[in-house]
Amino acid sequence: MSETPSQVKSEGFLEGLIELFAGLEDYRSPYAPTIQPPDNLIQELVQNASFKSGLVSATCSLPPGPLGILSILPELMFLYRIQGHLILDIAALYGKEVQVTKELLLYCLFKHGGAHVFRKIIEESSLKILIRPTTVKVFQTLLEKLGLMISKSLIRKQFARWIPIGGAVVTGTFAYYDTKRVGKTAMELFSKEIHAEEIQELLESQ
């Protein structure tokens, strides 16, 4: 049985995320906790990352038709890398870079488009973030759900590739505001107390 376009996109997305995490694990933020609240510096970082994301997306959308479509997945991974570095920089400014997990990275990247996907893994209150332990199977399921969700974004980008100039403006604007939302999520998250629930705690609560 041949694979559907959605399955192909989802699998490509999963492979891209694996490569993304491999790159982010080697990234060391140049920032350190500040004595004063880091809000102003974070806003500047978010603004710079948003402009960079918008420029990358718009540039990748300029080639029309099939040539432009081939650049969609690499474009997404490049955008997620920019956003991933932004998340790690924000975490570092709050002194919480060592607490960043793959689950938290995904949460910051995709919460605004699929908060329900993280319901069983991350619990957020006004003062605290609770991260529940995940098995390999649970994490794989999470990636698959995100892959299907991102497939819709890939379809929208395909349509935009057939619109000269105007498509580049649309995708660039979307990437700009998407990065803004990622930065806002990361800022709200790392300003709170982060608690990682241990496996034993989870078993005792069941």
Side-chain angles (χ1 to χ4, degrees):
M1 183 182 295
S2 61
E3 294 178 309
T4 65
S6 294
Q7 288 173 321
V8 172
K9 291 169 188 170
S10 179
E11 290 176 2
F13 174 74
L14 294 181
E15 293 173 358
L17 274 184
I18 292 173
E19 293 180 5
L20 173 68
F21 282 131
L24 291 177
E25 287 176 353
D26 296 329
Y27 178 74
R28 295 294 176 269
S29 175
Y31 299 97
T34 58
I35 298 176
Q36 299 295 327
D39 296 20
N40 290 337
L41 180 54
I42 289 175
Q43 293 293 349
E44 182 179 344
L45 290 177
V46 171
Q47 187 70 10
N48 290 339
S50 299
F51 274 122
K52 187 175 181 180
S53 295
L55 181 61
V56 167
S57 185
T59 301
C60 289
S61 300
L62 286 175
L67 184 60
I69 290 175
L70 290 175
S71 69
I72 291 177
L73 195 57
E75 173 201 338
L76 276 179
M77 290 302 114
F78 196 9
L79 292 180
Y80 294 149
R81 190 172 299 279
I82 293 172
Q83 294 172 352
H85 288 175
L86 174 63
I87 293 167
L88 290 170
D89 287 341
I90 292 174
L93 285 168
Y94 280 109
K96 296 175 181 175
E97 189 174 13
V98 295
Q99 292 181 274
V100 179
T101 63
K102 291 180 180 179
E103 290 83 2
L104 280 183
L105 271 172
L106 287 173
Y107 186 68
C108 290
L109 286 170
F110 301 111
K111 176 196 172 185
H112 57 277
H116 62 283
V117 174
F118 299 91
R119 193 167 297 140
K120 294 182 179 180
I121 300 174
I122 295 177
E123 182 179 330
E124 183 174 3
S125 67
S126 58
L127 298 174
K128 185 173 70 173
I129 299 291
L130 176 63
I131 310 171
R132 295 189 173 88
T134 59
T135 62
V136 173
K137 183 177 180 180
V138 169
F139 191 73
Q140 181 69 18
T141 300
L142 172 64
L143 291 182
E144 289 172 355
K145 289 180 179 178
L146 290 174
L148 292 174
M149 184 181 76
I150 297 302
S151 292
K152 298 177 182 179
S153 175
L154 293 175
I155 292 173
R156 288 197 298 270
K157 285 180 175 291
Q158 284 183 355
F159 282 116
R161 292 302 199 263
W162 294 97
I163 306 174
I165 308 301
V169 173
V170 170
T171 57
T173 302
F174 181 83
Y176 174 87
Y177 285 107
D178 186 68
T179 303
K180 283 269 192 182
R181 288 190 288 266
V182 169
K184 180 181 178 182
T185 297
M187 189 174 180
E188 292 174 349
L189 188 152
F190 293 111
S191 65
K192 300 176 182 178
E193 177 187 346
I194 299 175
H195 175 66
E197 189 177 58
E198 301 294 337
I199 292 288
Q200 187 60 37
E201 292 180 58
L202 181 64
L203 293 175
E204 290 175 354
S205 66
Q206 293 180 344

